[in-house]
Amino acid sequence: MNIKKYIPSFFTSLNLSFGFMAIALANPMGTTKINFYICSVMLLFSMLFDTLDGYLARKLNAQSELGKELDSLADLVSFGVAPAYLYYLLSPDTSFWFIIPSVLIVVASGLRLAKFNLLPAYDYFQGLPTPANAFFYIGLFLAVHYQNDLITNLMSNPIVYFIIPIIFGLLMLSSLKMFSFKGMEKPFMKNRYQIMLFASFIALLLFDNKLAIPLTVIMFIFLSILQSTRRKL
């Protein structure tokens, strides 16, 4: 048996497992208190394992159709369903209509992943990647956990609560070219947009670590638009 071909799928399964735990631990044993911190940590672990499974698949030359499908299913749970459920728990209202933004997150994530599977391999992303979208929501959850006034006030506004998933859903399904760290060139300094994004993340951590994650995703979107515009000129 060729064990190495199963190694990437093992890490994909860990991605899926931690995504499920993010959902299950949101209301442990029926408690009413939501632990956004623990759930966010679970999703960050999912992101780590999602990165590792792709890296190992390439390094071990262990890509397979099974692995590709499992990866998409794991990503849908960890970066679609889990963030959508946690976002619903942030709802400023308990009426039925306030489940719609979370439904939009799940549907947009599923469509984005299906679209990704049909596209050829590029050295850039076409549309906002599902993990980057989830990373933005993780930033919101952590900011709420640490009682950041700006995010708490925004999430208590029904209009903002509805608009965020609409905007990010459209970005995921768009044809906007977004740079990837997988597509980095040599020499290193040619990757100015990746360098600017990383530098921005470090600066934001030092300035306000509670807002660093969502602002970094917004910076990623802005820099991708800037790069795409410059290439067209």
Side-chain angles (χ1 to χ4, degrees), residues 80-98:
V81 177
Y85 176 64
L86 294 172
Y87 193 74
Y88 177 62
L89 296 179
L90 283 179
S91 175
D93 195 291
T94 57
S95 65
F96 170 79
W97 300 108
F98 281 78

Side-chain angles (χ1 to χ4, degrees), residues 14-15 18 40-50 79:
L14 288 177
N15 167 12
F18 276 82
S40 297
V41 170
M42 295 297 104
L43 292 182
L44 289 173
F45 271 110
S46 286
M47 289 191 168
L48 172 63
F49 295 129
D50 183 52
F79 309 137

Side-chain angles (χ1 to χ4, degrees), residues 76 105-115 130:
L76 180 57
I105 294 173
V106 174
V107 173
S109 298
L111 289 172
R112 171 71 179 87
L113 289 164
K115 178 182 175 182
T130 312

Side-chain angles (χ1 to χ4, degrees), residues 3-202:
I3 297 297
K4 74 174 186 178
K5 73 177 184 179
Y6 296 104
I7 293 176
S9 292
F10 170 74
F11 283 94
T12 305
S13 298
L14 288 177
N15 167 12
L16 177 59
S17 299
F18 276 82
F20 171 74
M21 284 191 283
I23 299 171
L25 295 176
N27 297 105
M29 304 302 290
T31 58
T32 56
K33 185 177 180 181
I34 304 160
N35 196 328
F36 284 109
Y37 176 79
I38 292 297
C39 296
S40 297
V41 170
M42 295 297 104
L43 292 182
L44 289 173
F45 271 110
S46 286
M47 289 191 168
L48 172 63
F49 295 129
D50 183 52
T51 302
L52 286 174
D53 69 6
Y55 173 79
L56 290 170
R58 291 188 297 274
K59 285 295 181 181
L60 299 174
N61 193 26
Q63 296 99 330
S64 68
E65 286 301 313
L66 174 64
K68 181 180 177 181
E69 296 302 323
L70 179 61
D71 184 65
S72 290
L73 292 171
D75 285 358
L76 180 57
V77 173
S78 299
F79 309 137
V81 177
Y85 176 64
L86 294 172
Y87 193 74
Y88 177 62
L89 296 179
L90 283 179
S91 175
D93 195 291
T94 57
S95 65
F96 170 79
W97 300 108
F98 281 78
I99 198 173
I100 293 176
S102 292
V103 172
L104 292 177
I105 294 173
V106 174
V107 173
S109 298
L111 289 172
R112 171 71 179 87
L113 289 164
K115 178 182 175 182
F116 177 79
N117 283 346
L118 295 175
L119 292 172
Y122 296 119
D123 59 355
Y124 59 86
F125 295 113
Q126 188 169 314
L128 181 68
T130 312
N133 183 65
F135 196 50
F136 174 82
Y137 288 108
I138 290 171
L140 296 186
F141 305 145
L142 289 173
V144 168
H145 172 80
Y146 287 110
Q147 300 179 335
N148 178 270
D149 290 337
L150 174 62
I151 298 300
T152 301
N153 291 333
L154 285 174
M155 289 297 95
S156 65
N157 186 314
I159 296 176
V160 174
Y161 182 78
F162 271 82
I163 285 177
I164 288 175
I166 293 173
I167 292 175
F168 277 81
L170 290 173
L171 283 168
M172 280 197 288
L173 299 177
S174 72
S175 297
L176 174 66
K177 290 183 179 181
M178 309 192 75
F179 61 85
S180 166
F181 282 91
K182 296 178 185 176
M184 294 180 69
E185 303 176 58
K186 294 181 181 180
F188 179 72
M189 294 309 295
K190 289 185 67 176
N191 306 288
R192 58 181 178 275
Y193 292 100
Q194 289 92 335
I195 294 170
M196 282 191 286
L197 182 64
F198 182 75
S200 298
F201 180 58
I202 298 301

